[in-house]
Amino acid sequence: MTAQQSSTAPVGSGEDQFPAGAQVFVRDEVWLVRNSVRTEHDGAKVDVVGVSDFVRDQEAVFFTGLDTIELIDPCRTKLVRDESSNFRRSRLFLEAVLRKTALPQSERRLALADSFLLDSLPYQRRPAELALSGRNLRPRLLIADVVGLGKTLEIGLTLAELIRRGRGERILVVTPQHVLEQFQHELWTRFAIPLVRLDSVGIERIQREIPAGRNPFTYFKRVIVSIDTLKNTDQYKHHLERINWDAVVIDESHNLINRGSLRNQLAQILAPRTDALILASATPHNGDAKSFAELISLLDPAAIRDPEHYRAEDIEHLFIRRTKISPEVREQMKGQWADRGPSQSVRCAATPAEEKIFEELAAVWLPGENGTSVSGVPLFPYTLLKSFLSSHAALKATVAARIKTLEKKDDPTATRAELAALRTLQELVAPLTETDSAKFAALVEQLRAIGIGPKSDARVVVFSERVQTLEWLRTVLPAALGFRGRAAEESTRVMHGGLSDEQQMQCVEDFGLADAPVRVLLTGDVASEGVNLHRQCHQLIHYDVPWSLIRIEQRNGRIDRYGQAYQPQFRALILTSEVEGAKDDTVVAERLLDREDQAHRALGTAEAVTGLYRAEAEEKSLIQDLLRGRTVDESLDTRRAEAQADAAMDDFLADFFGSVGDAEPGAEDDDPEAAQTNGAVASASTSAGAGNAAVPRLFTSTAEFLDEALREVFPDATTSLDLHRDTESGLLSFRPPTDLVHRLKALPLDYVREQRLRERLLVTFNRRLADHSLKRARESSTSSWPDISLLTDLHPVVEWLTDKVLVRLGRQEALIITADVPEPTYLVQGVYSNALGRPTVVKWMGVTRGGTVEDDMVGLLRRSGVGPTMANPMRHSEPATALESGIPDALAAAELFLDRHRDAWDEPLRKPIDDYKARLGDWEQPTLAGERTKKSLASLADSLLTTGRPLLRVLAVLVSDPEAPARPPSAS
């Protein structure tokens, strides 16, 4: 068998793969390979774009099980002269192949971290480094950094690195519905990763456009969808079960823990159908070792042998967690994240009307130690109390709902006393208005002190647990602050769980736009998870205080987060009473505020204070302790002591969660040999810095490559593209041609429409200009999407031009370059793959006619004088036919060289796989399903090893100039 790789070999043989950048012949047309992966039933799935005239720039997908896909036989490569100035065509082609070739899985270091629109913070790179470290069989991890550290940015970096490795073609991101647009916005504006938003409206639109029965998740390659939409597994299960992903991201993943829930069922469907799995949560556990083990099992089913007894070292390769006071975070954040201010209690003395309600609650519903409550439901009196401490509007709703419930009961005698007491409360609360609310008066006073008003740009977020309170405040607050007419309506927005996903996203977007008229965001705890409210705001008021340290911390984290330019300020309205025995806000709320503040400053998070790890569990436990006569401090201390008394939990939570992420990871994984297995020698020809991947480059930057590519592909770009360059700012403005417009369908629809991208694109490599455009967008009153996007290696414009360069070379052609070489030297790409079709070793070689092989192609080109200043003499020493006759021998020498070194290059890959298989062998499974999982994981481990022969490809040949003076011997 020659170096030609059979396209009809069995799937999994390692000989059915088609590397990105290669050309294939399918259905009588020539296509350029973008990506190739193995499928379970249809052979290799090959994503291509048309090259030959009839299909030029058309996208298609072929399967080796359904079509005959002919990979061009490298021995039949046709050599053609490069007649372009400075050999620009050759240099662009070689650079394009380098860019399109996926980094091998042996390359553990990051390749793109310095090229995006974000601050260079090493701690935010750590999750990507861990995912690629090889310590786990696949790129799977839980990012559990506490609120505000930038988990979305960490996810973006990880996805970008997977894309560069050819492992991010199909991406599914699952988030809560209110952060869909925020997440989509961050990944595009920061990383140029487009995600199509499939909210409820988006899915309906797509289902109208695609044929009946078509899987909506195959319509776009990279999508973001809310977990609330997807959890309806009855509707989407059959679609999800028929599709595999390269990477799945699930945000707020603590919601997946409860077995049997719709969210858990969704996770169980997705986890085995993706290569990479990234879970994210600031509160990743509920205090139960077994439940957390179930979450970890989504990442690696074999990581934990005993779900009730395991230690940190069992799963530290799957999990990373830091707080704001973690040493590396604290050091790197200096000057970039203002320290939070104290939580200020604003005491509000109850009005006479409110004191009457306090009296009624103390006497009838919440009597002292020797009294009996009128309610037969122990927890309900505290429901009444919390409603009242929120607002009279909330108390009205709670009382009315309880009366309606009791009136439906079959035995009215048993509820007569409670009904009478409820009606008394109803009479007391009915006449109350804002003039009877001490908290409302204090809120207006505090807002005025902050500067909220018609003539101010100041903003504030006001939290309340009760929807009735939020809706009531919306009706009375604007006028009290001096807003009139339309300004009154626009100044205040309400956000709560009863709104649709579109309405929730619109609230968040409007509040983040500097020129938008909204000044007060009234929100429930739907905004306490994942929502960024810090862009234009550093003031937060708790209108009522949740009875949970975790919930308080989550609320505060909306404005106390990475990127906050001002000191976050927190206030809480504390309703006080003179009634003896009254349980006002000083009893619970004020103490919780103080304890949360203490924990945050000392530990970086308040989640472990009670040892309960769930807001709902904290509140329920606290109320039960209050019923027992304990104070708030006694309750918190008792719960923590109980958690610490359990040795297993002490290890699981205190040891593990306290230590993971503190030490700099990866040092033990830095293998110099592994770093070299991608075939790129770290030299002046590489873009890699210290600790970065050694990625070979012919051009000094992507900007230089794009500039040269534009000149080559569109020599009349000023006319054909209406291209304008601002040499001072680095702004490129042009009209996208039809084939580029087609690619823009993957961009967010709102962004394409609002910025009119189909008519004109504004792009730049100037990071400062792109960042200014992003900030300017946030100061807009119409859209948060920037008009100028940063060109990264992942940007559709860069990918489009790279493809345009590749398809300019004809079918099975390579270029002849006149260079300073003593004998013809063939430039050959060699790729070893595993059974999944992913590169394990990539080598860029120069092979002389005498059979000498050098595996630093870029260095060879530099030494041979190939560069932007070289002249093209339009001549070479031998005719093309004579050079073509030497191709088979050059390929044979290249394959022999690869085979000789294969074991050494494979060793860094083999060791972690062998270690995993050893652990898997000790994993005993009592059930048939468990044994199937074990066999599946063992098979997966085997499939990651290099298999088969290398795929070889001739890229160009270097020949000497027959009229050039002979080189001195010392230069050879």
Side-chain angles (χ1 to χ4, degrees), residues 390-422:
S390 179
S391 71
H392 63 275
L395 180 59
K396 285 180 183 178
T398 301
V399 169
R402 181 63 175 168
I403 288 174
K404 187 176 181 180
T405 298
L406 293 179
E407 287 178 340
K408 291 180 179 180
K409 286 187 175 291
D410 296 334
D411 185 7
T413 304
T415 61
R416 187 173 298 161
E418 185 174 351
L419 275 169
L422 285 167

Side-chain angles (χ1 to χ4, degrees), residues 688-705:
N692 290 349
V695 181
R697 288 281 186 266
L698 286 181
F699 288 75
T700 58
S701 66
T702 302
E704 182 189 12
F705 168 71

